[in-house]
Amino acid sequence: MLLHAATIFLSAFLLFLVQPVIAKQILPWFGGAAAVWATCLVFFQSVLLFGYAYSDWTTRLLAPRKQAWLHIALLAASLLMIPIIPEARWKPGANGGEPSLLILGLLGATIGLPYFLLSTTSPLVLSWFWQSFRHAVPYRLFALSNFASLLALLSYPVLVEPFLPLAAQSWLWSIAYCGFALLCGVTALRSTRGPAAAPAPAAQAGDREEKSPAIGDRLLWIALSAMGSCLLLAVTNHLTQNIASIPFLWVVPLSLYLVTFILCFDHPRWYHRGVFIALAAVLLPAMAWYSDSLDLWTAAPLYAAGLFVCCMFCHGELTLLKPGPRHLTTFYLMVSIGGAIGALLVGVAAPSLLSGYYELGIALTACAMLLYHRTLAGRWWLATATLSVVAATATFTVISVTDYLQNTRVIVRNYYGVVRTRDFTSPVPFRAMYHGGINHGGQLLDAALRSRPTSYFAPSSGYGRVFASLPDTARRVGVIGLGAGALAAYARAGDVFRFYEIDPQVAAVAISEFTYLRDSPAQTDIVLGDGRLSLEREPPQNYDLLAIDAFSGDSIPMHLITREAMAAYVRHLKPDGVIVFQATNRFVDIAPVVERLAAESGLTAVLVSDAAESDEGADYWISATDQIIVTRNARLLAAEPIQSVAQPLTPRPDFRVWTDDFYNLMRILKP
């Protein structure tokens, strides 16, 4: 048993450790978008399905010895893919490409066969174990597998990410995988060595443990598994869209999801059906009610608790319906089909079919319906109570969507998120662009006022003060992040404004819904693609000003504030040029990061905060801002518009320079 347990433990540990390792490596290539992790989960769940299908097929159709040698051959072939370091040829080119397809292809070429074989291990070794020890029920080894997965996930942000660069992470994982391949090969040979295991006792008539599962049972297994997977991705997307797409915020929901598997499959004592049905009945409507909340400290605990309770319900019901060991590979296959379906629905279907972020509300309502279905066979009052939960959850979802769409003119969605515009009429007509739930700039609609800079770019902001302090000559300005194009309000005849925008639908909306670019007297260009990758491909642009203003919701793409990114910015800057970082954020304080980057590059960084006090009394169209000005131009910093309000950035002791290999969001979270 020790050999089987060790093989399962190591495979599950490596299976989940590789997920943040590989996802973090490719995240900068795709703009740091929250959808990168969702696409990775689609790959992981789909390959897990293929792995479970392989385990089920080989167990049923191959003799144990042939099955073992086939698996050993595949293990040997997988070593040819070591080490797991993505090749640069997979980076999106100047012409872009469908990000989800590129990511799926990249993952398949980099970790496809090793990940596939790791995913086969748990059901395959459990099957070998049962063949050797017919009297033992192996479901608790499935709990061990999930415990190892959880340990890997929790280890990554605490023990791996803060101390090891990404290249070292990949090499250490690859070495550990070689050890796993050897261990799994030994387990395969020893499990199938000698005479075949004694046949299982013949099933007695009416023996539920040995009956072949009915179609209805299998569909219910798939539905319960898919529901947990849907909620996992929907909740993760909800968090990462508005904070940052980083491993820590990937790990927390996935860890809660795995904990429920561990508890439910370890022992029946952990799943108290009445308790978790009651908790789900309370939390499902609550999550639907708060689905449009942007308060991290309310939403994060609520959704963490809700995800845990709902997954305990789904996986607890799965354990109540599980078959005898004879059918365990079929059971795991159905569970993996459900997981893959859930990932595909949220990660692929929702961005393609839904115009807004509606999948969370839909998933909550579907979970409430599943709760009702599972209580139909109980007492009438329980079924009635859960039916009211369905009604409440659906009603709150509709209310949330209605509020979300109020005064909306345009709403479009693609891989990078949802972009919409809303009109406000009082006291001053104003049109705003939203990405997720966050205002990304806007424009006054009155013809006499529409050329005025608004939102984060008012004259009193850091941007406004820099433009007021620049020499009165033709300027070259680069902007990473287009938004509504409001920075073009500062453009003059003879200037060049070059916008870098990863999301083509943002560019389309900026042109069709706002007039900043159309009315500009300057030359305005839009370069589609990730701003940093575009700068790395271009010759030096000699910018007087480079604005770093790229956000997804309220999430900051971390690859734009690293040493490597700063080197690209400085290469494109004139010797006396200036970089302005948008630091306005509800949750994250990037000032310590920018201060370290500036100091290392021999530049000075100062913070300009604007309280957004408008002389016109229409405060809603001018936003409070924090912006960081970085330059070596002492004359610019001494200009009155900047010098009168600028605050020097104090170095934080023991704060490391962020690189593509290392960054730690936890150290810059605001209280």
Side-chain angles (χ1 to χ4, degrees):
M1 183 174 181
L2 182 61
L3 182 63
H4 294 82
T7 306
I8 287 174
F9 185 92
L10 182 57
S11 71
F13 187 88
L14 293 176
L15 185 74
F16 277 78
L17 183 63
V18 75
Q19 296 183 14
V21 169
I22 196 71
K24 188 176 179 181
Q25 289 185 66
I26 68 173
L27 186 64
W29 298 1
F30 299 92
V36 172
W37 178 244
T39 306
C40 288
L41 282 180
V42 170
F43 174 85
F44 299 144
Q45 294 277 33
S46 299
V47 176
L48 190 69
L49 167 61
F50 293 136
Y52 279 27
Y54 163 89
S55 301
D56 182 58
W57 175 75
T58 56
T59 298
R60 289 188 292 104
L61 300 181
L62 295 182
R65 200 66 172 172
K66 290 183 178 179
Q67 183 188 43
W69 281 113
L70 171 62
H71 204 66
I72 290 170
L74 291 174
L75 287 167
S78 71
L79 297 178
L80 299 176
M81 301 186 75
I82 300 301
I84 53 157
I85 298 176
E87 296 181 8
R89 65 186 177 89
W90 287 101
K91 286 186 178 182
N95 296 326
E98 175 55 40
S100 57
L101 295 179
L102 280 174
I103 291 172
L104 293 175
L106 183 160
L107 293 174
T110 306
I111 64 168
L113 188 54
Y115 194 88
F116 169 77
L117 291 169
L118 288 170
S119 69
T120 68
T121 304
S122 182
L124 201 57
V125 174
L126 287 174
S127 176
W128 294 340
F129 178 81
W130 185 67
Q131 289 170 3
S132 300
F133 308 101
R134 295 287 190 178
H135 63 281
V137 178
Y139 280 110
R140 294 192 75 176
L141 286 178
F142 186 61
L144 174 68
S145 168
N146 283 285
F147 173 73
S149 302
L150 175 64
L151 188 63
L153 286 175
L154 296 180
S155 298
Y156 186 79
V158 176
L159 301 177
V160 178
E161 186 183 26
F163 304 107
L164 294 176
L166 282 171
Q169 294 175 27
S170 294
W171 274 104
L172 286 175
W173 187 93
S174 300
I175 292 169
Y177 179 81
C178 293
F180 156 77
L182 179 61
L183 179 63
C184 190
V186 171
T187 304
L189 289 176
R190 292 197 61 180
S191 298
T192 57
R193 185 177 59 187
Q204 301 297 319
D207 188 348
R208 294 179 60 196
E209 287 293 307
E210 298 301 335
K211 276 186 176 179
S212 180
I215 294 296
D217 291 335
R218 298 183 189 214
L219 292 176
L220 194 51
W221 296 343
I222 292 173
L224 288 166
S225 177
M227 193 70 262
S229 181
C230 278
L231 287 171
L232 167 64
L233 265 75
V235 169
T236 303
N237 284 347
H238 188 68
L239 293 176
T240 54
Q241 286 160 5
N242 291 309
I243 306 175
S245 187
I246 57 165
F248 176 76
L249 291 176
W250 304 337
V251 163
V252 171
L254 188 53
S255 298
L256 293 171
Y257 175 80
L258 284 175
V259 166
T260 64
F261 265 117
I262 295 168
L263 295 176
C264 293
F265 282 86
D266 175 66
H267 196 279
R269 64 174 171 264
W270 300 117
Y271 179 58
H272 295 275
R273 193 167 191 259
V275 171
F276 283 101
I277 286 177
L279 289 173
V282 173
L283 288 170
L284 282 168
M287 287 190 287
W289 179 256
Y290 281 96
S291 61
D292 59 352
S293 172
L294 296 179
D295 182 355
L296 170 67
W297 308 114
T298 299
L302 172 64
Y303 281 98
L307 178 65
F308 175 78
V309 167
C310 291
C311 286
M312 278 296 294
F313 161 72
C314 293
H315 300 151
E317 295 297 304
L318 268 177
T319 60
L320 297 179
L321 297 166
K322 68 180 185 292
R326 179 187 296 273
H327 306 289
L328 67 85
T329 56
T330 301
F331 176 69
Y332 290 137
L333 177 60
M334 296 301 107
V335 170
S336 65
I337 289 175
I341 289 174
L344 288 168
L345 286 174
V346 178
V348 176
S352 302
L353 302 177
L354 302 179
S355 61
Y357 289 127
Y358 308 138
E359 55 265 36
L360 179 58
I362 293 172
L364 294 173
T365 304
C367 188
M369 294 172 67
L370 200 53
L371 186 75
Y372 170 66
H373 176 270
R374 293 298 295 157
T375 58
L376 274 176
R379 298 181 179 179
W380 67 268
W381 57 265
L382 182 59
T384 302
T386 53
L387 182 60
S388 67
V389 171
V390 175
T393 305
T395 299
F396 293 156
T397 296
V398 170
I399 292 173
S400 177
V401 170
T402 302
D403 291 343
Y404 179 78
L405 295 176
Q406 187 177 12
N407 297 327
T408 295
R409 282 177 47 84
V410 171
I411 181 167
V412 288
R413 183 177 185 177
N414 65 6
Y415 182 83
Y416 297 104
V418 176
V419 176
R420 58 196 171 105
T421 61
R422 297 180 67 181
D423 280 356
F424 301 87
T425 57
S426 177
V428 179
F430 179 72
R431 180 172 299 162
M433 174 188 283
Y434 288 84
H435 198 287
I438 304 300
N439 184 333
H440 277 226
Q443 185 174 30
L444 293 165
L445 297 180
D446 188 285
L449 300 175
R450 67 186 187 185
S451 63
R452 300 181 64 171
T454 64
S455 57
Y456 306 100
F457 312 104
S460 55
S461 70
Y463 283 112
R465 293 175 185 276
V466 167
F467 277 108
S469 303
L470 287 172
D472 191 21
T473 56
R475 305 158 178 168
R476 287 187 60 84
V477 177
V479 185
I480 297 181
L482 173 61
L487 265 180
Y490 290 102
R492 306 166 308 170
D495 291 349
V496 174
F497 274 62
R498 190 171 175 84
F499 294 90
Y500 299 88
E501 176 54 54
I502 194 171
D503 189 346
Q505 72 184 8
V506 169
V509 171
I511 293 171
S512 64
E513 290 288 287
F514 304 92
T515 67
Y516 286 120
L517 300 180
R518 284 180 281 151
D519 293 346
S520 176
Q523 175 187 330
T524 59
D525 302 320
I526 299 177
V527 179
L528 291 178
D530 178 74
R532 176 176 157 184
L533 293 181
S534 298
L535 288 174
E536 290 174 351
R537 286 191 291 262
E538 291 180 345
Q541 295 295 309
N542 294 314
Y543 288 127
D544 296 280
L545 168 64
L546 184 57
I548 314 301
D549 194 40
F551 290 85
S552 175
D554 210 21
S555 169
I556 299 175
M558 293 297 163
H559 71 293
L560 297 181
I561 48 175
T562 65
R563 172 186 286 156
E564 294 81 358
M566 192 68 173
Y569 303 154
V570 172
R571 184 172 72 88
H572 286 278
L573 206 63
K574 288 182 178 178
D576 60 349
V578 57
I579 307 171
V580 181
F581 288 86
Q582 179 68 266
T584 309
N585 196 280
R586 293 168 299 143
F587 308 126
V588 176
D589 177 16
I590 68 168
V593 182
V594 176
E595 188 280 328
R596 288 289 81 205
L597 295 174
E600 186 180 59
S601 302
L603 307 172
T604 301
V606 297
L607 173 67
V608 173
S609 296
D610 178 22
E613 295 179 0
S614 171
D615 294 336
E616 290 79 10
D619 293 347
Y620 78 91
W621 56 267
I622 296 182
S623 305
T625 60
D626 293 309
Q627 287 150 4
I628 301 173
I629 301 170
V630 178
T631 184
R632 60 171 57 92
N633 188 339
R635 180 177 298 178
L636 180 76
L637 294 178
E640 194 281 332
I642 297 175
Q643 190 273 335
S644 60
V645 297
Q647 307 169 43
L649 297 183
T650 305
R652 185 185 292 186
D654 302 322
F655 195 92
R656 291 175 56 182
V657 175
W658 283 19
T659 68
D660 288 348
D661 273 352
F662 168 83
Y663 49 80
N664 188 348
L665 181 77
M666 297 301 295
R667 294 205 64 190
I668 62 170
L669 280 180
K670 293 181 178 179

